[in-house]
Amino acid sequence: MEQINGLIKRLQKPAGKIDVVIDTDTYNEIDDQFALAFLIKSEEKLCLKGIYAAPFFNQNSSSPADGMEKSYNEIFNILKLMKRDDLTSLVKRGSTKYLPSEKEFVESEVARNLAELAMKYSPEKPLYVIGIGAITNVASAVLMKPEIIDRIVLVWLGGNALHWIENTEFNMSQDVAAARVIFGCGAALVQLPCMGVVSSFTTSGPELEHWLRGKNALCDYLVDVTTKAAAHDSGISTWTRCIWDVTAVAWLLDGDFMSDRLEHCPIPEYDHYYSFDPRRHFYKYVYSVNRDNLFLELFTKLGK
């Protein structure tokens, strides 16, 4: 019972300033850049301790290793646009491949750094880990150093809503073994589901032009790359674009940005569906996003 109470306590929204790291496939699509910048601009609440490059493999990379390296380089690009060279020492290279099994970690600078860093924290004062890509790096750190399970709170954007027809979501489906490690290890986990929940967090070209254009070099970059990517992907001028990853950062902030509840932790299966067991430990499930409040916070901070 004491262990359950401790887990539920860690799943409560944190009060005061907290230490965080972010694990991001920054070159995958534009929402990662928004999320990283939003985190850096939220220094009143979030004290950044690490910026980790995550692997990804799609049309923007030739392999998971290439995706990780491109993400690593894009992190530096964002820091340069923000004139935050003071943060470059926090940037680490992550895994070059996905987990070979649920028992084997992948050696990387990120996994080692996270395992060592998390050991400096405690169940009473945990390290918050924001994951917005395949969860390989974090799962590797957990397998590498299981003692960190009670010392971290993982806020992960991955998987689809529990009610969604299937679970073929990019972050989760890239490395199902890693997701199963994270969902099964008993660590404090907050899930931001994509389809069915965070998919409502969309913006448009005119909105970006109104709120961000001309505010600073970062804002102009974000507008340009979002417009280019969205026009290419949708093929129509009335496009909207989901800026998914921002929500993972926002869960840690003070404000009316989303609603969540405790659920028994589901089991991600290799066939890209969930299975359920009511005897499983609890986790925090975000089921609604207050789109307008969160975009106001995002645009205000980025435009400063």
Side-chain angles (χ1 to χ4, degrees):
M1 182 61 70
E2 183 178 345
Q3 186 177 14
I4 294 173
N5 290 338
L7 174 63
I8 292 175
K9 185 176 181 180
R10 288 193 297 279
L11 287 170
Q12 296 174 355
K13 282 217 173 185
K17 198 163 185 177
I18 58 171
D19 290 351
V20 303
V21 297
I22 185 167
D23 188 61
T24 164
D25 55 350
T26 328
Y27 197 80
N28 169 38
E29 57 178 339
I30 187 58
D31 54 331
D32 289 83
Q33 289 93 324
F34 277 89
L36 176 58
F38 187 42
L39 169 55
I40 293 170
K41 292 275 192 174
S42 298
E43 291 178 308
E44 80 286 350
K45 174 78 175 182
L46 308 179
C47 183
L48 190 54
K49 297 296 184 179
I51 308 175
Y52 301 153
F56 76 91
F57 181 33
N58 61 11
Q59 70 278 3
N60 293 324
S61 66
S62 60
S63 67
D66 179 59
M68 186 280 295
E69 191 66 24
K70 285 178 175 175
S71 294
Y72 178 79
N73 292 329
E74 181 65 6
I75 291 168
F76 286 102
N77 181 44
I78 295 299
L79 295 181
K80 181 178 180 181
L81 287 167
M82 298 183 73
K83 299 180 180 179
R84 293 302 304 266
D85 291 344
D86 58 303
L87 299 177
T88 56
S89 63
L90 300 180
V91 185
K92 312 293 181 186
R93 284 185 170 90
S95 176
T96 58
K97 59 183 180 180
Y98 304 127
L99 291 194
S101 77
E102 296 172 36
K103 303 292 185 182
E104 302 170 83
F105 62 80
V106 179
E107 182 70 49
S108 72
E109 184 183 22
V110 165
R112 286 291 170 190
N113 181 264
L114 177 56
E116 293 171 5
L117 181 63
M119 287 302 295
K120 299 177 182 178
Y121 294 82
S122 68
E124 295 72 33
K125 186 180 179 181
L127 174 67
Y128 290 83
V129 181
I130 301 171
I132 52 176
I135 206 65
T136 311
N137 291 331
V138 182
S140 289
V142 166
L143 291 172
M144 192 179 288
K145 198 79 170 175
E147 297 94 326
I148 72 172
I149 288 171
D150 295 330
R151 301 166 189 258
I152 63 172
V153 175
L154 173 58
V155 183
W156 186 41
L157 184 131
N160 289 332
L162 298 180
H163 68 271
W164 203 249
I165 191 171
E166 42 72 30
N167 199 30
T168 310
E169 184 277 323
F170 185 66
N171 288 350
M172 182 174 282
S173 62
Q174 287 183 97
D175 196 343
V176 178
R180 287 171 63 88
V181 169
I182 292 303
F183 276 69
C185 70
L189 171 64
V190 180
Q191 183 190 18
L192 284 295
C194 292
M195 296 306 297
V197 179
V198 181
S199 52
S200 65
F201 191 66
T202 62
T203 189
S204 66
E207 187 175 44
L208 291 174
E209 290 287 342
H210 172 79
W211 285 97
L212 298 184
R213 176 67 73 189
K215 296 295 173 62
N216 52 53
L218 169 72
C219 287
D220 285 344
Y221 175 77
L222 293 175
V223 174
D224 288 342
V225 294
T226 304
T227 301
K228 181 179 179 181
H232 175 269
D233 293 345
S234 71
I236 58 176
S237 58
T238 55
W239 58 265
T240 59
R241 185 75 168 186
C242 192
I243 311 296
W244 324 75
D245 292 345
V246 168
T247 60
V249 177
W251 189 85
L252 292 169
L253 300 179
D254 301 322
D256 181 20
F257 302 133
M258 59 196 69
S259 300
D260 56 43
R261 63 176 183 256
L262 289 172
E263 291 276 0
H264 291 282
C265 203
I267 305 167
E269 300 290 3
Y270 287 100
D271 61 1
H272 305 299
Y273 291 90
Y274 291 117
S275 61
F276 301 93
D277 183 342
R279 297 167 297 179
R280 297 259 288 180
H281 59 280
F282 287 106
Y283 84 133
K284 189 63 70 74
Y285 176 76
V286 175
Y287 62 87
S288 177
V289 175
N290 190 333
R291 184 257 181 220
D292 293 350
N293 279 10
L294 182 47
F295 264 118
L296 179 60
E297 181 81 1
L298 175 67
F299 289 151
T300 301
K301 283 184 174 176
L302 294 183
K304 286 183 179 178

